[in-house]
Amino acid sequence: MNLESVATVFHDTADGNVPSERRVRGRVGLHWPLSILKGQREARVLSTVTENLSSGGFCCVLEEPMAAGECMVCILGLPLRRDPEKFRALRCQAQVVWVRVMEDGRFGIGCRIDDYTVVA
């Protein structure tokens, strides 16, 4: 990949205007339960909900930071249509793509799902 092709990905015109949406896949604002296994030796579970989802990833808000590039295992709860109080679950291998510090001190993270398995 050369600089010209990188510029084409991030700019919609030669004058350098950045497009408002660069995502390849659409996102849906769904607030589904998410458990993230953080660490390996002394693993802890961080519980949150998704802010939005796509077929390739999700965004969520955490009380503590994660590093861009960090790999993690997470469980994503999928509510059943017949009974929204019951869930199916996906076990996901995911990677943190971006981290943003929010005004309230929490951390927004965007993750790419690399692989998943239905577990329940």
Side-chain angles (χ1 to χ4, degrees):
M1 180 176 277
N2 60 32
L3 289 178
E4 185 177 344
S5 60
V6 170
T8 302
V9 171
F10 291 106
H11 304 290
D12 59 356
T13 64
D15 65 3
N17 290 330
V18 177
S20 61
E21 183 60 58
R22 296 184 311 213
R23 294 183 179 123
V24 175
R25 298 178 173 113
R27 292 198 175 242
V28 179
L30 295 173
H31 303 283
W32 289 354
L34 179 68
S35 297
I36 297 172
L37 183 62
K38 182 165 181 174
Q40 292 187 4
R41 284 194 165 156
E42 296 178 20
R44 294 175 293 123
V45 176
L46 307 177
S47 296
T48 188
V49 296
T50 59
E51 294 293 310
N52 59 55
L53 292 165
S54 77
S55 61
F58 58 87
C59 172
C60 67
V61 175
L62 296 173
E63 299 291 326
E64 59 186 83
M66 295 190 75
E70 189 171 349
C71 293
M72 62 184 172
V73 173
C74 54
I75 303 294
L76 177 62
L78 307 172
L80 298 176
R81 192 170 77 178
R82 292 185 195 122
D83 186 352
E85 298 299 315
K86 293 185 180 178
F87 294 87
R88 284 243 189 243
L90 294 180
R91 181 183 186 275
C92 304
Q93 296 287 331
Q95 183 175 21
V96 178
V97 177
W98 55 262
V99 179
R100 293 193 180 110
V101 179
M102 301 174 67
E103 288 182 13
D104 64 4
R106 296 182 303 159
F107 300 87
I109 65 168
C111 298
R112 179 184 70 235
I113 297 173
D114 294 324
D115 194 16
Y116 66 90
T117 306
V118 177
V119 293

